[in-house]
Amino acid sequence: MAKTIKFNLILDGYPVRTLEELQEHFSLEDMANYFENGLLERWLEVRGYEDELKAVREIESYGERRCAIRELVKIFHIFIDYEDLEKGIAILDYLDEDNRLHEEYKKNAFQKRQIIDDYHVGYESLIYRMEEHRDHMALLKADVIEMEKEYLGLFRLDYKALYFRLLRTAPKAVFAILTRDALRGYWLREDEDQSIHSNIKSSFMSVGIIKNIMGGDLKIKRKNTQDNHIWELVEDSDVPVMVFMMESDAYIRSAGQSSEKWSCGDINGQFRKFNGLEYQCNHSGYELLYMEV
């Protein structure tokens, strides 16, 4: 026959072996926990307290913790003032609620951290994808649309580091980002951080560099008419474009906008966008460099 293993209950920090010790060191919180996890029944069983065991087992039908505590006080003949008992129960209710809220907070905090982690992973994955698509402007445009739509918050925090990263790993992606209104301002503004805009001018304001980076995605316009005063339609008004560079003694404007007249001083290094494009030039050898947005 297997030997019954006896164990002590720890009430209020004291090891309890008998009902007398249980009464002496009775703790509402400890007893409630032992009742709920079943250790109280097991202790009564191995100690041979059959009457108390039967009474404790009958408590389960009550279903509410405060009712169970009141019954435990009666079963073990704990002499405690009613008002003190109710205060003790109220404190337990408070602690239970605090623990519940704490667990809920941890759960929510974990979920929030998971969401944040997933958000950062998605952003970093998008940048890796842009680096993989470094030579494909159509794919890069799709990537930057996703960045503008899904990761604008992280871009605002990372715009400076991202520029210098893409400058090294995927320079065509820099041009793709400059096509998006919500993103380009962080790299082109002069008031707060001029270092990026200055770097863009020093890194990209070369015809050879622009042609090398853009490849077949670059559009080049040369003068087609002998009349120096004629405005030539380059792109219809429903075609958005971004202009890289133009020569002096040449002018551009949005298609159909006769009040506009932009010179190279207005254009070079600014990556201005237009709805369609018209071109006026005095020299047939000059080139206007731009891309469709």
Side-chain angles (χ1 to χ4, degrees):
M1 182 176 180
K3 182 179 179 180
T4 300
I5 299 176
K6 295 183 179 181
F7 63 94
N8 302 328
L9 293 180
I10 305 301
L11 295 179
D12 199 23
Y14 295 91
V16 170
R17 301 172 181 84
T18 65
L19 287 179
E20 290 75 16
E21 291 176 343
L22 183 149
Q23 292 168 342
E24 182 180 356
H25 301 295
F26 189 88
S27 163
L28 291 182
E29 183 176 6
D30 292 338
M31 286 295 290
N33 290 335
Y34 286 137
F35 168 74
E36 290 170 352
N37 63 27
L39 277 178
L40 177 58
E41 288 188 26
R42 181 61 179 157
W43 183 83
L44 292 169
E45 185 177 9
V46 299
R47 294 289 175 177
Y49 297 118
E50 298 296 334
D51 293 340
E52 289 78 6
L53 175 60
K54 179 180 178 182
V56 168
R57 285 176 171 169
E58 291 176 353
I59 295 178
E60 296 180 3
S61 62
Y62 286 84
E64 187 178 339
R65 198 183 200 200
R66 59 176 51 243
C67 294
I69 292 172
R70 293 191 187 102
E71 290 302 310
L72 289 172
V73 168
K74 294 178 183 178
I75 291 169
F76 295 105
H77 307 290
I78 306 301
F79 298 102
I80 181 173
D81 182 78
Y82 175 79
E83 186 175 338
D84 291 338
L85 175 61
E86 292 303 310
K87 286 180 180 178
I89 291 175
I91 291 172
L92 286 185
D93 286 344
Y94 171 81
L95 292 174
D96 287 344
E97 179 65 11
D98 185 63
N99 288 333
R100 186 191 67 78
L101 292 175
H102 183 65
E103 290 300 318
E104 189 69 22
Y105 171 80
K106 288 197 298 184
K107 178 182 177 182
N108 290 337
F110 173 79
Q111 292 174 340
K112 289 177 182 178
R113 285 195 300 271
Q114 188 64 49
I115 291 171
I116 292 171
D117 288 345
D118 291 345
Y119 185 59
H120 280 264
V121 169
Y123 174 75
E124 189 64 25
S125 297
L126 178 60
I127 295 173
Y128 282 134
R129 196 165 72 222
M130 293 171 70
E131 291 170 332
E132 291 176 356
H133 297 163
R134 64 177 65 89
D135 297 320
H136 303 279
M137 181 56 76
L139 297 179
L140 287 171
K141 286 179 180 179
D143 290 338
V144 298
I145 289 173
E146 182 177 350
M147 176 170 286
E148 182 182 61
K149 182 179 179 181
E150 301 294 340
Y151 300 103
L152 182 57
L154 276 182
F155 177 85
R156 288 170 177 162
L157 298 174
D158 189 46
Y159 71 91
K160 192 169 185 176
L162 178 61
Y163 168 74
F164 288 104
R165 174 176 173 175
L166 294 178
L167 177 65
R168 175 175 50 87
T169 62
K172 188 178 283 191
V174 172
F175 295 150
I177 287 176
L178 288 174
T179 66
R180 305 306 302 175
D181 290 338
L183 306 178
R184 60 188 269 120
Y186 289 91
W187 287 357
L188 298 179
R189 59 189 178 190
E190 298 282 3
D191 54 341
E192 294 183 34
D193 189 347
Q194 300 184 31
S195 62
I196 295 180
H197 197 175
S198 298
N199 189 275
I200 288 176
K201 291 179 180 179
S202 63
S203 299
F204 296 112
M205 285 302 96
S206 161
V207 172
I209 290 175
I210 293 175
K211 288 182 177 181
N212 182 58
I213 292 173
M214 287 296 295
D217 295 302
L218 180 67
K219 292 201 168 187
I220 302 174
K221 170 62 181 176
R222 298 180 181 88
K223 180 181 177 182
N224 288 331
T225 177
Q226 298 299 317
D227 190 337
N228 294 338
H229 301 289
I230 292 293
W231 284 91
E232 297 182 52
L233 179 65
V234 180
E235 300 286 353
D236 291 329
S237 60
D238 61 347
V239 180
V241 301
M242 184 175 73
V243 178
F244 294 110
M245 292 185 67
M246 58 187 291
E247 303 279 359
S248 57
D249 284 339
Y251 303 93
I252 60 174
R253 67 190 183 191
S254 298
Q257 299 299 314
S258 58
S259 61
E260 293 183 4
K261 192 173 184 180
W262 300 87
S263 67
C264 66
D266 305 313
I267 296 301
N268 295 350
Q270 303 302 320
F271 297 88
R272 295 191 185 278
K273 295 168 63 178
F274 296 87
N275 292 320
L277 202 59
E278 293 182 6
Y279 183 49
Q280 184 188 74
C281 180
N282 297 330
H283 299 277
S284 59
Y286 283 178
E287 294 180 333
L288 170 65
L289 308 183
Y290 71 98
M291 65 174 284
E292 287 190 17
V293 173

